[in-house]
C-alpha cells in the first residue's frame, strides 16, 4: 500500500503535509490498486472517495443508448469557408450558410454562435477543396476533415475544449459543429435535463477525475464518452428541465443587448431585460441543480464535501482591480457608461440605415417571443426590422449638415423619437461619427479573427467629409450613385463657395479671408481627389456578399483614410487578391476571369465556387469526379463572355493610380460638413 498526501491547493505545502501526516486534515490517502482500476483508463486520481468511484461502476457511460459524443469538422481554411452571421445575406441562411459551433470561452448554459459555414450541398465545395489540394499540409482526405456529418443539423450541446470547468451550452438544431466545438447528442426529451446535469458540480468533478487533473483540463470527446450517466426520474427530469431553462434565460438576457448577437433586441440603455439578471440568481439556480444531481448519482454527504472543496463554480461577480475603493468603482462606472453610450449610438446608426426597429424602443412593436434553447437560430435578430414591415433601406449616408441623408441629423432625430435626454449635441455627435465611431465599429464587429464591419466610412484624406455605406444595401450601382448623386453636387457646391470667398476677398484679402480661402481650397482639392477615386472604382464595382467584408472592401482601400490599421489590412488583402490567392472569390472572377477560369479546369472546388462544375467536371461510373477532356463551353469562350473592356480599363487605372493616402493631411479649419 502506498500513502499519498494531497497538498496541491495549499499555500504552505510543508505545513499541509505535516498536518496530513498527523491526521489533522483529510488530505492523506492510502488507495489500493483496485481503486485506481475502478475508473476507465486508471487515471492517477488517488484522492477520489468511494461514492465518486462507485458512480463510474454503477452507471452506464454517456456514449450509448441513443447518446453520442462527437468531434466536428475542420475546414483547414476558415477565411474561405467561414463568415460572421451578419456579413451574409439572410436569404442564404440554411441554404448555403449554416450556423457553426466553434468552441470559444467558458459560457455555462448559453453562448451565442456568431459564425456560419459554407455547407451548401452538404459541404460540396469544402470537400472538393480538400481533394483538390492533396499536397497542402492543412488537408487530409475530406472524410477525416468532415467527421460526424450524420449528426450535423441535429440539436445537442457543445462546449469549448479548454476551460476551468465543464460547462456546455445548447447547440440549436440546424447547426454544424467544428473540431473545436465538441458536441454531445441526447434523445430529444433528455436535452434540457441533460443540459442541467452536464453543467453540475458533480459532473464537472467526474470529468476532471477521469482526466486526472483539476487545473485547466482539456474536455476531450473520448473522456466524456466514458463518464457515468444517470437517467433522471420523471420528477427529477421535470425539475432539472425547469432549472436549465431558467439558467439559459438568465445567461441569454445579457446577450439581448449585444448588437452582433442573434438574440439582440435593444441596446443596454434601452433594454431592461439585459440588466435584470444577476450572479446571485444564477448561483441559486446552480445550487438547486447540484442538489438534484448529487441525489441522482447517489452521492453521500462526504462525497459532496469532496466535490464542493474542489469546485471552481463560484459565480459571484469577480471584483475588478481597484474596485475596492470608491475611485475604482467610479472608473468602472464611467467605462460602462461610455460603452453603453457607444452601443446606443451604434444601434441608432442601424436604425438610420433601416436595419434596427425603433418601434421596439417606443413601444409601438412588442418584442418577439423568446425561442427555446434548442430551436433553430433565426436568420436575423429580433431587433431588426421585420421583412414585411421594412422600408426601403437608405444604404448611403453622408457627413454634411443640411443634407437630407446627413447621418448625424438622422441620429439626433432618432434620439428625440425615443425621448433620450442624454443625447450629445449635434456638433459633438458629428465629431464622434467622424473620428471615433468607425474604429469602435470594426472592433465590435470582429469575431474569431474575422473583422466584418457592416457600416463603412469612406472619407477624404483629412476626414473632413465622409460617406457611410451599409453592407446589406450595396449593389452594382452604389458607386455610380455616389459619384452622380453625392460627390459631383458636393464638389460643385464647395467650388461655388470657394469662388464666392475669392470674389469677396478681392485682390487684397485679410488674414482671416486668406485662411478661409486656403481651408476651402484644401477641401475642394480633397473632394476632387475623393471623387476621382470613386470614379475609378465605379466601373468595376459588382459586389457579391458571399466573398466576405474584407474582400468586398479590399478594392476600396484607398478610400478608407480615417482608419489606418484597417486600411493596411485591406491593402494586404488587395495585394493578395491581385496575386491570385483568393481566386475562389467572385471579385477575383469579375476582375481577372482570364486567370480564374483556367483554374476551374484543374480545381473542382473553384469550379463549384463559380458555378462552373457541370461545365468542367463529371462523375464517372466509379463515382469519381473527373474533368472533361472537352468542356461544354471552352475556356476561351467563357473568358470572352466574362471579360469587360470597361472593367479592365477601370482595373488598370486603379492599379496604376498614385497612392493619395500617403500624402500629408491638410486639415480644414472651417466647419466640418
Amino acid at each position: 500500500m502506498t500513502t499519498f498526501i494531497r497538498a496541491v491547493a495549499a499555500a504552505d505545502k510543508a505545513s499541509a503535509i505535516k498536518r496530513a501526516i498527523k491526521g489533522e486534515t483529510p488530505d492523506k490517502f492510502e488507495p489500493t490498486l483496485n481503486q485506481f482500476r475502478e475508473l476507465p483508463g486508471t487515471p492517477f486520481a488517488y484522492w477520489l472517495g468511494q461514492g465518486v468511484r462507485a458512480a463510474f461502476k454503477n452507471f452506464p457511460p454517456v456514449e450509448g443508448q441513443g447518446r453520442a459524443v462527437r468531434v466536428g469538422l475542420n475546414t483547414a481554411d476558415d477565411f474561405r469557408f467561414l463568415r460572421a452571421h451578419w456579413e451574409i445575406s439572410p436569404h442564404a441562411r440554411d441554404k448555403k450558410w449554416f450556423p457553426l459551433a466553434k468552441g470559444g470561452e467558458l459560457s455555462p448554459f448559453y453562448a451565442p454562435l456568431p459564425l456560419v459555414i459554407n455547407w451548401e450541398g452538404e459541404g460540396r465545395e469544402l470537400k472538393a477543396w480538400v481533394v483538390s489540394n492533396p499536397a497542402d499540409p492543412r488537408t487530409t482526405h475530406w472524410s477525416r476533415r468532415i467527421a460526424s456529418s450524420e449528426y450535423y443539423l441535429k440539436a445537442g450541446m457543445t462546449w469549448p475544449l479548454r476551460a476551468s470547468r465543464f460547462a456546455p451550452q445548447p447547440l440549436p438544431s440546424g447547426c454544424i459543429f467544428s473540431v473545436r466545438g465538441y458536441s454531445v447528442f441526447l434523445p430529444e426529451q433528455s436535452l434540457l435535463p441533460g443540459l442541467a446535469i452536464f453543467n453540475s458540480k458533480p459532473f464537472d468533478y467526474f470529468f476532471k477525475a477521469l482526466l486526472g487533473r483539476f487545473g485547466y483540463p482539456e474536455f476531450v470527446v473520448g473522456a466524456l464518452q466514458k463518464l457515468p450517466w444517470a437517467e433522471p426520474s420523471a420528477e427529477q427530469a421535470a425539475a432539472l428541465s425547469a432549472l436549465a431553462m431558467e439558467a439559459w434565460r438568465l445567461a441569454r438576457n445579457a446577450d439581448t443587448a449585444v448588437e452582433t448577437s442573434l438574440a439582440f433586441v435593444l441596446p443596454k440603455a434601452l433594454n431592461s431585460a439585459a440588466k435584470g439578471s444577476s450572479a446571485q440568481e444564477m448561483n441559486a439556480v446552480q445550487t438547486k441543480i447540484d442538489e438534484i444531481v448529487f441525489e441522482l448519482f447517489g452521492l453521500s454527504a462526504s462525497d459532496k464535501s469532496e466535490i464542493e472543496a474542489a469546485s471552481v463554480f463560484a459565480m459571484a461577480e469577480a471584483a475588478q482591480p481597484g474596485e475596492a475603493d470608491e475611485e475604482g468603482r467610479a472608473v468602472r462606472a464611467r467605462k460602462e457608461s461610455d460603452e453603453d453610450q457607444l452601443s446606443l449610438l451604434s444601434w441608432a446608426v442601424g436604425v438610420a440605415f433601416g436595419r434596427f426597429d425603433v418601434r421596439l424602443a417606443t413601444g409601438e412593436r412588442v418584442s418577439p417571443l423568446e425561442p427555446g434553447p434548442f430551436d433553430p437560430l433565426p436568420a436575423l435578430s429580433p431587433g431588426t426590422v421585420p421583412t414585411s414591415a421594412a422600408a426601403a433601406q437608405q444604404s448611403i449616408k453622408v457627413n454634411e449638415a443640411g443634407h437630407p441623408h446627413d447621418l448625424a441629423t438622422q441620429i439626433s432625430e432618432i434620439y428625440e423619437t425615443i425621448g433620450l435626454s442624454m443625447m450629445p449635441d449635434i456638433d459633438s455627435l458629428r465629431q464622434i461619427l467622424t473620428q471615433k465611431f468607425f474604429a469602435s465599429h470594426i472592433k465590435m464587429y470582429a469575431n474569431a479573427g474575422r473583422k466584418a464591419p457592416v457600416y463603412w466610412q469612406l472619407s477624404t484624406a483629412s476626414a473632413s467629409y465622409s460617406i457611410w455605406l451599409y453592407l446589406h444595401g450595396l449593389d452594382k450601382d452604389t458607386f455610380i450613385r455616389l459619384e452622380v448623386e453625392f460627390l459631383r453636387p458636393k464638389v460643385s457646391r464647395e467650388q461655388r463657395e470657394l469662388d464666392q470667398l475669392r470674389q469677396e476677398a478681392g485682390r487684397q484679402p485679410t488674414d482671416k479671408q486668406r485662411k478661409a480661402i486656403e481651408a476651402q481650397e484644401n477641401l475642394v482639392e480633397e473632394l476632387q481627389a475623393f471623387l476621382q477615386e470613386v470614379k475609378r472604382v465605379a466601373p468595376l464595382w459588382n459586389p457579391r456578399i458571399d466573398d466576405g467584408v474584407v474582400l468586398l472592401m479590399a478594392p476600396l482601400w484607398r478610400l478608407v483614410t480615417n482608419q489606418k490599421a484597417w486600411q493596411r489590412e485591406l491593402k494586404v488583402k488587395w495585394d493578395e487578391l491581385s496575386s491570385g490567392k483568393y481566386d475562389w472569390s467572385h471579385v477575383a472572377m469579375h476582375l481577372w476571369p482570364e486567370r480564374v477560369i483556367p483554374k476551374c479546369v484543374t480545381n473542382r472546388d473553384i469550379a463549384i465556387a463559380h458555378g462552373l462544375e457541370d461545365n468542367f467536371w463529371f462523375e464517372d461510373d466509379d463515382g469519381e469526379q473527373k474533368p472533361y477532356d472537352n468542356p461544354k463551353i471552352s475556356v476561351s469562350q467563357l473568358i470572352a463572355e466574362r471579360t469587360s473592356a470597361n472593367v479592365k480599363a477601370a482595373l488598370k487605372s486603379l492599379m496604376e493610380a498614385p497612392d493619395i493616402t500617403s500624402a500629408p493631411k491638410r486639415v480644414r479649419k472651417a466647419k466640418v460638413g
Side-chain angles (χ1 to χ4, degrees):
M1 182 176 293
T2 304
T3 299
F4 297 85
I5 295 175
R6 185 169 172 81
V8 175
D12 185 352
K13 290 181 171 47
S15 298
I17 291 171
K18 290 177 182 178
R19 290 196 301 273
I21 291 172
K22 294 177 181 178
E24 296 174 356
T25 67
D27 295 323
K28 178 180 176 183
F29 305 90
E30 294 180 338
T32 65
L33 185 59
N34 286 334
Q35 285 177 287
F36 287 108
R37 291 171 177 161
E38 288 176 356
L39 267 66
T42 60
F44 196 63
Y46 58 83
W47 60 88
L48 296 184
Q50 181 179 355
V52 174
R53 299 196 309 271
F56 281 88
K57 184 169 58 176
N58 297 335
F59 294 96
V62 169
E63 181 76 20
Q65 298 179 330
R67 301 180 297 271
V69 190
R70 293 293 182 268
V71 174
L73 60 76
N74 184 353
T75 71
D77 190 349
D78 285 355
F79 182 79
R80 175 173 177 178
F81 294 105
L82 302 190
R83 300 285 182 271
H85 71 76
W86 56 81
E87 64 177 321
I88 66 164
S89 167
H91 303 296
R93 263 291 307 273
D94 303 332
K95 297 182 181 70
K96 178 174 183 177
W97 299 101
F98 292 77
L100 176 73
K102 198 174 183 285
E105 300 177 351
L106 176 68
S107 186
F109 294 104
Y110 169 84
L113 296 179
L115 297 176
V116 291
I117 184 171
N118 179 353
W119 192 246
E120 187 175 26
E122 296 187 345
R124 193 161 52 101
E125 187 179 333
L126 172 56
K127 294 173 183 177
W129 176 81
V130 174
V131 173
S132 296
N133 295 272
D136 193 307
R138 297 173 296 174
T139 69
T140 60
H141 189 270
W142 72 260
S143 62
R144 296 185 63 187
R145 284 289 179 201
I146 320 295
S148 311
S149 58
E150 69 273 24
Y151 289 94
Y152 295 164
L153 311 182
K154 292 184 177 181
M157 281 161 272
T158 185
W159 68 93
L161 172 63
R162 295 184 183 89
S164 59
R165 53 172 282 204
F166 184 59
Q169 57 272 163
L171 177 70
S173 61
C175 295
I176 311 295
F177 55 102
S178 82
V179 69
R180 292 299 183 190
Y182 297 165
S183 297
V184 56
F185 300 89
L186 306 178
E188 184 177 355
Q189 70 275 11
S190 298
L191 286 172
L192 266 176
L195 180 63
I197 293 169
F198 285 141
N199 273 281
S200 68
K201 289 179 183 177
F203 203 88
D204 176 67
Y205 192 80
F206 294 158
F207 212 140
K208 291 171 178 174
L210 188 61
L211 295 172
R213 57 178 298 188
F214 280 73
Y216 203 78
E218 294 187 350
F219 296 105
V220 294
V221 162
L224 180 55
Q225 290 172 332
K226 301 171 185 176
L227 294 183
W229 174 261
E231 198 67 47
S233 66
E235 183 180 355
Q236 289 172 323
L240 289 170
S241 294
L243 290 166
M245 190 69 193
E246 184 176 356
W248 175 82
R249 185 177 293 114
L250 288 171
R252 181 179 178 272
N253 276 347
D255 220 34
T256 63
V258 177
E259 187 177 302
T260 55
S261 168
L262 286 169
F264 176 70
V265 178
L266 286 168
K268 189 175 179 182
L270 307 173
N271 190 332
S272 58
K275 308 176 219 177
S277 58
S278 68
Q280 287 73 25
E281 288 177 288
M282 186 65 89
N283 280 335
V285 174
Q286 184 70 61
T287 298
K288 293 175 183 177
I289 288 173
D290 293 337
E291 289 298 328
I292 296 173
V293 178
F294 277 121
E295 179 185 350
L296 181 62
F297 282 96
L299 299 170
S300 65
S302 62
D303 298 322
K304 181 178 178 180
S305 297
E306 172 190 336
I307 292 170
E308 292 279 8
S311 175
V312 293
F313 272 55
M315 300 182 71
E317 292 177 286
Q320 300 295 319
E323 259 191 20
D325 54 35
E326 186 175 343
E327 182 180 355
R329 289 191 295 272
V331 169
R332 185 186 182 197
R334 284 196 300 271
K335 181 180 178 182
E336 289 180 348
S337 177
D338 290 345
E339 290 173 350
D340 290 348
Q341 291 304 305
L342 186 59
S343 297
L344 182 64
L345 174 59
S346 183
W347 170 79
V349 171
V351 173
F353 276 114
R355 180 186 180 199
F356 294 131
D357 198 339
V358 72
R359 296 174 303 167
L360 289 167
T362 61
E364 298 173 75
R365 177 187 163 204
V366 178
S367 183
L369 294 175
E370 183 180 76
F374 300 95
D375 289 347
L377 293 172
L380 296 169
S381 70
T384 56
V385 176
T387 304
S388 58
Q393 290 175 340
Q394 295 290 341
S395 60
I396 304 175
K397 304 293 178 187
V398 296
N399 177 25
E400 182 179 4
H403 195 285
H405 297 298
D406 178 45
L407 184 57
T409 301
Q410 291 183 3
I411 290 173
S412 180
E413 291 170 353
I414 291 164
Y415 281 10
E416 290 178 5
T417 298
I418 59 178
L420 214 57
S421 59
M422 54 184 172
M423 58 173 285
D425 62 80
I426 190 72
D427 291 333
S428 299
L429 180 58
R430 193 177 302 284
Q431 185 177 26
I432 293 169
L433 288 170
T434 300
Q435 298 178 0
K436 299 179 180 179
F437 178 73
F438 192 38
S440 65
H441 176 66
I442 293 171
K443 184 177 180 181
M444 180 185 292
Y445 278 72
N447 188 277
R450 290 197 68 85
K451 293 179 181 178
V454 296
Y455 314 124
W456 303 353
Q457 183 185 16
L458 310 181
S459 60
T460 57
S462 66
S464 58
Y465 179 76
S466 294
I467 284 178
W468 291 86
L469 305 180
Y470 174 44
L471 170 65
H472 294 284
L474 298 176
D475 58 34
K476 63 183 178 61
D477 296 325
T478 296
F479 279 81
I480 295 174
R481 287 187 59 209
L482 281 184
E483 177 187 345
V484 175
E485 299 176 23
F486 292 85
L487 283 172
R488 284 185 186 174
K490 173 67 173 175
V491 171
S492 296
R493 287 194 300 272
E494 299 300 340
Q495 182 64 55
R496 286 195 298 271
E497 183 176 338
L498 175 59
D499 294 341
Q500 184 175 349
L501 288 172
R502 286 171 175 167
Q503 183 178 357
E504 291 173 353
R507 295 183 178 181
Q508 294 183 329
T510 64
D511 287 344
K512 182 178 180 180
Q513 287 173 324
R514 275 197 301 271
K515 289 179 181 179
I517 290 170
E518 182 183 357
Q520 190 66 14
E521 287 174 340
N522 290 342
L523 175 61
V524 171
E525 183 181 336
E526 286 190 354
L527 285 169
Q528 288 172 337
F530 190 33
L531 173 60
Q532 190 62 32
E533 290 297 323
V534 168
K535 289 170 69 174
R536 286 193 180 100
V537 172
L540 55 79
W541 178 254
N542 188 24
R544 288 284 294 274
I545 198 169
D546 277 357
D547 284 347
V549 165
V550 70
L551 290 188
L552 282 177
M553 287 196 75
L556 312 180
W557 70 270
R558 295 171 184 273
L559 297 168
V560 185
T561 60
N562 204 33
Q563 290 301 323
K564 292 301 182 183
W566 180 235
Q567 185 182 56
R568 286 192 293 271
E569 289 188 46
L570 295 180
K571 177 60 164 61
V572 168
K573 283 294 181 285
W574 173 247
D575 291 342
E576 292 175 343
L577 190 61
S578 302
S579 68
K581 186 172 182 179
Y582 307 115
D583 280 350
W584 47 264
S585 66
H586 300 289
V587 65
M589 174 65 88
H590 181 58
L591 300 180
W592 297 282
E594 71 282 358
R595 185 184 73 206
V596 175
I597 289 174
K599 289 187 178 181
C600 296
V601 178
T602 55
N603 295 74
R604 179 170 159 258
D605 61 298
I606 294 181
I608 293 171
H610 295 297
L612 294 174
E613 179 188 18
D614 292 341
N615 186 70
F616 290 114
W617 294 81
F618 71 98
E619 185 177 304
D620 67 13
D621 294 338
D622 296 326
E624 294 291 326
Q625 294 292 335
K626 298 290 181 64
Y628 283 115
D629 292 331
N630 296 298
K632 300 173 185 177
I633 304 174
S634 68
V635 169
S636 58
Q637 183 179 343
L638 284 171
I639 292 174
E641 290 174 355
R642 300 194 180 206
T643 299
S644 162
N646 288 339
V647 169
K648 283 299 180 185
L651 179 61
K652 184 175 185 293
S653 174
L654 187 67
M655 300 288 280
E656 295 176 353
D659 182 5
I660 64 166
T661 62
S662 62
K665 286 187 178 180
R666 291 182 292 183
V667 180
R668 185 190 180 202
K669 304 297 184 183
K671 61 186 176 70
V672 175

